[in-house]
Amino acid sequence: MQNRITQLFNIKYPLIQAGMIWASGWKLASTVSNSGGLGIIGAGSMYPEILREHIQKCKKATNKPFAVNVPMLYPDIEKIMEIIIEEGVKIVFTSAGNPKTWTKHLQSHGIKVVHVVSSVKFALKSQDAGVDAVVAEGFEAGGHNGRDETTTFTLIPMVKEQLEIPLIAAGGIATGRGMLAAMVLGADAVQIGSRFVASNEASSHQNFKNKVVEAKEGDTQLTLKELAPVRMLKNKFFNEVQALYQTAPTKEELITLLGRARAKKGMFEGDMEDGELEIGQIAGLIHEIKPATEIIQEIISEFESAKQKVAQL
Ligand SMILES: Cc1cc2nc3c(=O)[nH]c(=O)nc-3n(C[C@H](O)[C@H](O)[C@H](O)COP(=O)(O)O)c2cc1C
């Protein structure tokens, strides 16, 4: 299966494991890369020297390409970029910021740059900034998201209509059928997050993985739009946020309730009540925690059989 994305990254399958705070460290990233996809280390929850350690371990664990995801809100961003360049990382996925800020600098060090967006407007801005590819992420996705509630099914063809550079679809994809659908809509590849949270190699807490497997349709919601919109599981913390909304809170009141390190508390330390549990709508279709290699093999074999079935229509 060869196309613009497999060629750009030099990978076997057009399947990318999303960069995810508290979930995608070197173990998950290297396993995915060794299995033919593109693994991504999520730098968003790492101090700079921890990131260096993950990159070094990843390089030892695989000789295949892997990437680092950098949410650009990161306070230590200069140091993070310095480490990425020093360690010879070849691919960077930037998110949550202006693609103009780092793209040219990273590319001048031979790094391929991909930017994550949730609208046509920002997809085109990213293209203008000179990125090598764009990830367009729909409203279904786990974690931080756009405000406009544009679903993957509508976003991908709208971006495709105008974008010239390679397009990667994200949000709500966890199966081979989902992957095929996204590619029929115009994507060159898919970025998958939630499905890999429930993998043996994800660094997220076992309690969180179990919760993902238990989740049903309707168990997640996008909230905190006034701060940074985020899709999470409905738990005690989520209910507290909703209760606060009944009082027409100020932004400061929301910030106070969110507090610090909520995401770490939930996803990494396993506090299922008071922690923030970021996951996508597709959690309702994830029924088992599995090795990442098995997840990839299942997705690819389902993709192939779905393609044949569709060809018979
Ligand atoms: C637990 C979790 C953490 C995430 N953290 C990040 C992050 O640090 N940076 C980022 O760009 N996206 C982050 N995302 C979004 C993913 O990169 C990805 O685009 C999204 O999960 C795709 O949708 P899906 O969950 O339906 O597969 C996160 C998603 C999840 C579920």
Side-chain angles (χ1 to χ4, degrees), residues 9-277:
F9 299 143
N10 193 21
I11 53 177
K12 190 169 172 196
Y13 306 125
L15 191 165
I16 295 152
Q17 161 257 308
M20 295 179 285
I21 54 164
W22 305 117
S24 66
W26 70 272
K27 245 188 214 168
L28 179 58
S30 60
T31 306
V32 168
S33 289
N34 282 332
S35 308
L38 182 73
I40 305 187
I41 297 173
S45 49
M46 296 177 185
Y47 290 117
E49 286 310 316
I50 301 281
L51 173 64
R52 190 191 295 280
E53 215 181 296
H54 277 263
I55 295 171
Q56 288 177 350
K57 285 186 174 160
C58 201
K59 283 194 286 193
K60 282 207 186 101
T62 183
N63 54 14
K64 298 280 195 306
F66 67 91
V68 174
N69 166 242
V70 186
M72 290 192 279
L73 302 165
Y74 204 105
D76 284 324
I77 184 103
E78 315 247 318
K79 185 74 195 152
I80 289 283
M81 293 304 193
E82 203 180 292
I83 287 172
I84 283 171
I85 292 164
E86 274 171 19
E87 292 296 331
V89 172
K90 298 281 187 295
I91 308 163
V92 169
F93 280 48
T94 52
S95 53
N98 185 342
K100 272 197 183 144
T101 320
W102 286 97
T103 299
K104 291 289 171 224
H105 181 67
L106 292 171
Q107 286 172 335
S108 73
H109 289 273
I111 297 173
K112 301 266 182 337
V113 181
V114 181
H115 192 63
V116 184
V117 301
S118 56
S119 69
V120 175
K121 183 177 157 195
F122 282 99
L124 297 178
K125 269 197 165 180
S126 305
Q127 179 170 267
D128 288 347
V131 301
D132 296 282
V134 160
V135 175
E137 190 192 58
F139 170 67
E140 302 92 325
H144 291 279
N145 208 315
R147 286 186 173 77
D148 292 333
E149 307 197 353
T150 311
T151 61
T152 305
F153 207 91
T154 49
L155 181 63
I156 298 307
M158 285 193 278
V159 173
K160 180 67 185 173
E161 194 177 50
Q162 298 193 47
L163 195 80
E164 280 159 27
I165 59 174
L167 169 61
I168 301 161
I173 303 159
T175 62
R177 290 190 306 271
M179 177 173 170
L180 181 63
M183 293 180 77
V184 170
L185 290 175
D188 297 285
V190 292
Q191 171 170 288
I192 296 179
S194 297
R195 173 61 272 200
F196 285 109
V197 170
S199 69
N200 294 1
E201 293 83 357
S203 56
S204 29
H205 196 282
Q206 191 64 35
N207 293 351
F208 179 40
K209 296 183 188 182
N210 294 341
K211 270 269 182 237
V212 172
V213 168
E214 285 165 20
K216 304 272 181 301
E217 185 265 319
D219 281 354
T220 74
Q221 195 169 311
L222 190 79
T223 189
L224 291 171
K225 279 191 174 183
E226 295 75 4
L227 308 181
V230 57
R231 179 173 297 284
M232 60 173 84
L233 272 173
K234 295 174 181 170
N235 65 349
K236 176 169 166 266
F237 167 60
F238 172 85
N239 292 334
E240 284 169 7
V241 173
Q242 296 315 104
L244 185 60
Y245 272 119
Q246 300 298 319
T247 68
T250 61
K251 207 169 157 183
E252 285 64 38
E253 284 172 315
L254 287 168
I255 292 171
T256 306
L257 175 61
L258 179 61
R260 290 194 65 235
R262 277 277 183 189
K264 182 181 185 192
K265 192 179 215 171
M267 297 190 281
F268 196 62
E269 294 169 354
D271 184 336
M272 296 297 99
E273 300 283 309
D274 292 316
E276 178 183 311
L277 306 173

Side-chain angles (χ1 to χ4, degrees), residues 276-295:
E276 178 183 311
L277 306 173
E278 298 180 12
I279 205 74
Q281 289 185 333
I282 202 70
L285 198 62
I286 299 170
H287 306 307
E288 218 182 318
I289 301 162
K290 289 183 182 183
T293 303
E294 225 173 273
I295 293 174

